[in-house]
């Protein structure tokens, strides 16, 4: 008996109208689903547009006018306010100060916070299981304490600490024999005003970001550290090869938030040097904006400063995202 092999012509294709090959019809959303989407997404977006997006649009519109802030009449001047900013030496000095803060404060804060977090979590004994230093819980509490103090209070406390006549800093330095620091004005000298201000800001945020990095490091599988230790990696190499790549996204987030803080820094500057420091050495864009709007009555020009500050902040965030993406691709 011979088997009958079906030919190609015997294979009958299913009809074109077969349900197997029909595209599934899109189900029409019910009225309840539409109402649910409008409430959960549409309503929050409406509030966001009203209270966040619309003020940005208003600020940009006012930046094209000569509005004084307390009158209902104004004239459109186009880009005249932006041109004036490019020739304003005080504002350009404030921009340079903000950029300096954005370069130094995030970098130093993240380096110190990450170093402390690494010691607390995986910086203990080099033998046995990977663990942190002894009494690490105490270090977390002590380091986090400055973040619980409001920024304005931190600024006022440190301004008194650096007071030239009765400050604790000068008292300690002169007490150990450094007589040249008697009545030294830390916030009144061009060479020390900005470094002291950076120190105060970094002091206030190291503890918070240390706790943030501790949480990120705790999420790294311990097997990675064990494998690195077996391969003979020391603490520095373990940090560079295991910790940093695994907490990269957390570092990116921290860098953006600290950059935004550094580009603002109004509260700290107002508490430490409300006038902008000697020769405007600590003046920031937000301080200049405040003075222009409420002391000079030039709200149109101040709005242009605000738009410039927003654009600078977005540019800073974009640069951080781009660098993180490029370095991640290189590591891979």
């Amino acid at each position: 008996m011979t088997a009958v092999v079906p030919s190609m012509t015997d294979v009958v294709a299913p009809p074109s109208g077969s349900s197997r090959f029909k595209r599934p019809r899109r189900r029409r959303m019910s009225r309840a689903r539409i109402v649910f989407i409008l409430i959960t997404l549409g309503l929050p977006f409406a509030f966001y547009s009203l209270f966040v997006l619309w003020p940005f649009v208003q600020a940009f519109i006012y930046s094209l006018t000569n509005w004084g802030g307390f009158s209902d009449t104004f004239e459109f001047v186009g880009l005249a306010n932006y041109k004036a900013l490019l020739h304003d030496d005080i504002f350009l000095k404030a921009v340079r100060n903000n950029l300096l803060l954005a370069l130094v404060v995030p970098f130093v804060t993240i380096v110190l916070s990450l170093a402390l977090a690494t010691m607390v979590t995986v910086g203990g004994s080099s033998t046995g299981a990977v663990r942190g230093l002894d009494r690490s819980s105490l270090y977390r509490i002590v380091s986090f304490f400055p973040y619980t103090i409001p920024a304005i209070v931190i600024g006022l406390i440190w301004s008194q600490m650096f007071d030239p006549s009765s400050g604790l800093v000068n008292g300690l330095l002169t007490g150990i024999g450094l007589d040249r620091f008697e009545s030294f004005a830390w916030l009144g000298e061009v060479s020390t005003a900005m470094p002291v201000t950076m120190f105060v800001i970094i002091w206030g945020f190291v503890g918070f970001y240390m706790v943030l990095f501790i949480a990120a490091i705790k999420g790294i599988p311990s097997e990675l550290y064990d494998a690195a230790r077996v391969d003979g990696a020391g603490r520095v190499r373990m940090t560079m090869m295991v910790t940093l790549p695994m907490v990269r996204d957390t570092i990116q987030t921290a860098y953006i938030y600290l950059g935004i803080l550094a580009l603002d820094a109004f509260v700290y500057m107002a508490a430490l040097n409300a006038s902008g420091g000697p020769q405007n050495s600590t003046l920031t864009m937000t301080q200049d904006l405040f003075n222009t709007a409420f002391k000079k009555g030039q709200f149109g020009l101040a709005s242009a400063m605000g738009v410039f500050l927003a654009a600078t902040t977005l540019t800073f965030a974009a640069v951080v995202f781009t660098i993180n993406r490029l370095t991640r691709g290189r590591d891979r």
Side-chain angles (χ1 to χ4, degrees), residues 250-262:
T250 306
I251 294 175
Q252 172 185 275
T253 303
Y255 214 104
I256 291 175
Y257 275 106
L258 285 168
I260 294 173
L261 167 74

Side-chain angles (χ1 to χ4, degrees), residues 65-303:
T65 69
N66 61 355
W67 185 43
F70 301 98
S71 63
D72 56 356
T73 59
F74 53 83
E75 297 178 356
F76 282 90
V77 295
L79 300 177
N81 288 328
Y82 295 95
K83 294 178 181 177
L85 293 181
L86 296 178
H87 298 87
D88 188 347
D89 294 335
I90 296 179
F91 179 74
L92 294 178
K93 177 68 173 178
V95 172
R96 288 192 291 269
N97 291 337
N98 273 118
L99 293 179
L100 182 62
L101 286 170
L103 289 174
V104 176
V105 170
F107 179 78
V108 176
T109 303
I110 288 176
V111 169
L112 291 177
S113 302
L114 192 58
L116 293 173
T118 302
M119 288 191 295
V120 168
T121 52
V122 295
S125 176
S126 59
T127 59
V130 177
R131 60 185 179 85
L133 298 175
D134 295 334
R135 300 185 181 89
S136 59
S137 299
L138 176 63
Y139 300 146
R140 297 181 199 180
I141 296 173
V142 173
S143 62
F144 191 79
F145 178 72
Y147 187 74
T148 63
I149 306 174
I152 185 64
V153 177
I154 291 177
L156 293 175
I157 290 175
W158 279 104
S159 65
Q160 295 299 317
M161 297 266 290
F162 286 108
D163 185 83
S165 57
S166 59
L168 180 62
V169 174
N170 285 347
L172 292 175
L173 293 176
T174 54
I176 61 175
L178 300 176
D179 296 333
R180 62 174 181 166
F181 289 104
E182 184 178 1
S183 300
F184 184 81
W186 292 91
L187 294 170
E189 297 288 337
V190 177
S191 59
T192 57
M194 181 58 81
V196 165
T197 303
M198 291 179 180
F199 166 79
V200 173
I201 297 175
I202 293 170
W203 180 87
F205 281 92
V206 163
F208 172 78
Y209 286 98
M210 170 187 168
V211 174
L212 182 68
F213 290 136
I214 287 175
I217 295 173
K218 287 290 187 180
I220 300 175
S222 58
E223 293 82 3
L224 296 179
Y225 289 107
D226 293 333
R229 177 175 289 181
V230 170
D231 290 340
R235 289 189 177 90
V236 176
R237 188 177 178 187
M238 193 180 300
T239 301
M240 299 299 295
M241 303 303 295
V242 178
T243 305
L244 287 180
M246 298 299 292
V247 300
R248 178 191 295 272
D249 292 336
T250 306
I251 294 175
Q252 172 185 275
T253 303
Y255 214 104
I256 291 175
Y257 275 106
L258 285 168
I260 294 173
L261 167 74
L263 291 172
D264 181 6
F266 177 80
V267 177
Y268 291 96
M269 296 303 182
L272 293 170
N273 257 323
S275 61
Q279 300 180 19
N280 294 320
S281 57
T282 62
L283 182 69
T284 59
M285 286 187 280
T286 49
Q287 283 182 294
D288 196 16
L289 187 155
F290 180 86
N291 295 333
T292 303
F294 295 100
K295 293 184 179 181
K296 300 178 182 178
Q298 299 176 356
F299 273 74
L301 184 61
S303 297

